Amino acid sequence: EIRFCDWSSDVCSSDLSVAMRAGYAAVAWLQSNGTASDLYASVLDTGVWYGPDLVENNVNPAAQPSIAIDADINMSLLWQQSDGTASSVYANRYSAGVWVWGTPTSLEGLGTAASDPQLVFDANGDGLAVWGQGGDIYARRYTRSTNTWAAAVTLDARTESIYAPSLSIDLTTGDAIAAWVQSDGTANSV
C-alpha cells in the first residue's frame, strides 16, 4: 500500500486518475491547499515512486484529472480548471529522460465551460484528447514527433449539453473512438 495523500485529514479528493504502461505507472489526484483543490501526480519508475509533484499553479480549483502514458514513457495529464472566466481544459507533460513536469497549457480558449477531459496514446506516442464544452464535444490530436497539439475539431455540434465522454484508441493503428451522452431534445442518447 502506497499513500500519496492523507485521507484522514480530509484534504484529498476522490477525483483521481491512474495509468500504467510497460512497468511504469502514474497517479494524479486532487488535494486541498485549504482554499482550493490543487492537482498532484506521482510516477512509478522501475519500482520506485517519485513525487508527489504539484503539476499546476493556478489559484482556481482543479478538477477531473485524466492521465495517460505514451510509448516512450512520457506522461500527459489533462484536467479542468477555471481560467478566471470559465472552466477550461489544461494539459501538462512529464517527459521521459528529463523526469519533470512541464508548464501547464490550455487546450481550448472558447470562453465557455469545458469539462470531462479524456486522454489516450497509441503505440507511436501520438495522442488524442476529447472534452465536452457547452453542447459540443471537441477533440485534439497530439503528435509526438513535433510535440504539438493540432487545432481542436468539433465532433458533434448539437446544442444540448455533453455528459460522460469516453475515449479509446487502438494501440497499433492509432484509430480512436469517442462516445458520450447527449440529449436529442427528448431523451439522453449515446
Side-chain angles (χ1 to χ4, degrees):
E1 177 180 315
I2 303 293
R3 290 188 183 202
F4 301 109
C5 186
D6 182 6
W7 294 91
S8 65
S9 65
D10 249 355
V11 296
C12 301
S13 167
S14 60
D15 203 358
L16 57 91
S17 182
V18 181
M20 290 184 70
R21 188 172 200 149
Y24 293 82
V27 179
W29 69 93
L30 301 175
Q31 184 172 323
S32 175
N33 64 20
T35 58
S37 294
D38 289 331
L39 182 59
Y40 285 86
S42 285
V43 174
L44 177 67
D45 176 4
T46 58
V48 177
W49 282 100
Y50 294 93
D53 295 314
L54 180 64
V55 298
E56 52 80 26
N57 56 4
N58 189 323
V59 298
N60 297 309
Q64 303 175 334
S66 178
I67 197 163
I69 303 173
D70 72 18
D72 291 328
I73 316 304
N74 299 300
M75 291 147 208
S76 292
L77 178 58
L78 303 183
W79 68 94
Q80 177 198 50
Q81 192 168 37
S82 176
D83 61 7
T85 302
S87 293
S88 296
V89 172
Y90 288 88
N92 200 344
R93 191 156 172 85
Y94 185 89
S95 297
V98 179
W99 307 117
V100 295
W101 287 96
T103 303
T105 57
S106 177
L107 283 188
E108 53 73 46
L110 297 176
T112 56
S115 64
D116 299 315
Q118 300 293 310
L119 177 65
V120 293
F121 285 99
D122 66 16
N124 295 319
D126 297 322
L128 186 65
V130 297
W131 65 90
Q133 193 160 17
D136 299 328
I137 189 157
Y138 290 91
R140 283 186 80 171
R141 179 160 285 283
Y142 173 81
T143 304
R144 180 189 64 136
S145 63
T146 60
N147 193 29
T148 57
W149 287 95
V153 175
T154 306
L155 299 182
D156 184 274
R158 295 185 203 168
T159 58
E160 293 81 10
S161 293
I162 300 289
Y163 300 99
S166 186
L167 182 62
S168 187
I169 196 164
D170 183 311
L171 291 176
T172 56
T173 67
D175 293 337
I177 186 168
W180 60 94
V181 176
Q182 186 173 26
S183 175
D184 62 7
T186 304
N188 284 341
S189 300
V190 175

